[in-house]
Amino acid sequence: MRASSEISMAGTDGTTRTDHTAHTAHPGHANRTTRTTRTTRTDHTNETGETDETGDTDDMDDMDDTPVMYVESSVAGAAKILVVGPMGVGKTTLIGTVSEIKPLSTEATMSQAGARLDTKVRPSKTTTTVALDFGRITLGGELVLYLFGTPGQQRFLPAWKDLARGALGALALVDTRDLEASFDAIGHLEDLDVPFSVAVNAFPDSKPHSEDDLRSALDLLPHTPLVICDAREHKSSVQALISLVSHLIETLTEVS
């Protein structure tokens, strides 16, 4: 079904802007709303008796040209997934790598004031997430994952807990160059009773470790998935998410 509405408003430059809003009910997903704005040509007489003309313009050209990625009609389910870990572990990178839509990022330049509170990271890192990262990926054409990346600093823990509400599970990223920095994030997931899997982000200068050593160092339960990934590579990052989803399905099946 399709319904439309039209609103006309007079602009300060003598033009009349007409907003057309069309609502289309489409099977398999929420109603789509398409909004276009058209500025019509209007002639008016100014105080000097001259006639001014305003040509046809479209002040929504840039927006109309932006592609919109709707959820596919084949999608049967959706899940909220957290991507957690300490500052600089690669959460923003992973979400940006796998997201099928333009990811939302709240990166801000690190300041000297923050340096007094936050754990030191490599000198090349100059920005940090201050609210959240957000992206979306569809697996197998049937399941949509809404990815929420959490801030890595301890001072943002209250926001971290709010983001965890309604999450089906979490992917915990760790950096073997500083495993201790990941303890808090994993501990928070356990305290919140959020099922999770662990992905070791392989940095170029990371030293290799056996799975047994990593499990022992992170104190992971035997059933907790542990994979190696490269947050910069799409296939590798998607596999880490698939490992998490498989774990969540098994967990839910056991409970039921």
Side-chain angles (χ1 to χ4, degrees):
M1 294 186 296
R2 182 182 182 88
S4 63
S5 59
E6 181 174 308
I7 301 175
S8 297
M9 295 179 289
T12 57
D13 58 355
T15 63
T16 300
R17 194 182 76 177
T18 304
D19 289 354
H20 298 272
T21 303
H23 303 275
T24 305
H26 197 279
H29 51 70
N31 289 349
R32 301 182 182 179
T33 299
T34 304
R35 181 184 179 88
T36 58
T37 302
R38 183 177 68 250
T39 303
T40 59
R41 177 171 178 163
T42 303
D43 294 348
H44 62 86
T45 304
N46 59 24
E47 295 178 355
T48 62
E50 297 174 346
T51 300
D52 295 336
E53 295 182 352
T54 304
D56 291 338
T57 61
D58 189 349
D59 59 1
M60 299 289 283
D61 280 348
D62 293 340
M63 183 176 292
D64 291 341
D65 291 340
T66 302
V68 178
M69 292 287 294
Y70 291 104
V71 174
E72 298 177 10
S73 59
S74 60
V75 168
K80 177 181 180 180
I81 299 296
L82 296 181
V83 179
V84 308
M87 184 168 59
V89 76
K91 302 181 295 295
T92 301
T93 299
L94 184 140
I95 292 176
T97 297
V98 303
S99 183
E100 63 197 15
I101 61 174
K102 183 178 181 181
L104 168 66
S105 178
T106 58
E107 290 280 289
T109 302
M110 299 175 65
S111 65
Q112 194 62 36
R116 296 178 300 185
L117 302 173
D118 301 328
T119 304
K120 292 183 179 179
V121 294
R122 58 191 185 280
S124 60
K125 183 170 178 58
T126 59
T127 62
T128 184
T129 299
V130 295
L132 80 159
D133 296 310
F134 175 77
R136 189 189 81 198
I137 180 174
T138 304
L139 298 180
E142 297 181 351
L143 176 64
V144 167
L145 301 183
Y146 294 103
L147 307 175
F148 289 77
T150 63
Q153 301 96 315
Q154 277 293 106
R155 57 194 171 101
F156 291 128
L157 182 57
W160 201 105
K161 291 181 177 179
D162 286 338
L163 288 173
R165 293 178 183 174
L168 188 64
L171 181 67
L173 287 178
V174 302
D175 181 353
T176 58
R177 299 172 302 179
D178 187 8
L179 283 178
E180 187 176 352
S182 301
F183 292 169
D184 285 339
I186 293 177
H188 294 328
L189 291 174
E190 293 174 340
D191 292 341
L192 294 170
D193 198 25
V194 176
F196 66 94
S197 66
V198 175
V200 177
N201 191 10
F203 289 90
D205 56 343
S206 298
K207 295 181 180 179
H209 299 275
S210 68
E211 180 176 340
D212 289 340
D213 287 344
L214 289 173
R215 286 187 172 278
S216 176
L218 295 170
D219 194 23
L220 298 180
L221 294 174
H223 66 271
T224 302
L226 175 66
V227 298
I228 308 296
C229 78
D230 186 336
R232 301 168 300 177
E233 295 183 0
H234 183 268
K235 183 177 180 180
S236 176
S237 299
V238 170
Q239 286 298 322
L241 290 170
I242 291 176
S243 176
L244 168 62
V245 171
S246 298
H247 173 57
L248 295 177
I249 293 174
E250 292 176 0
T251 301
L252 291 173
T253 302
E254 292 174 358
V255 171
S256 60

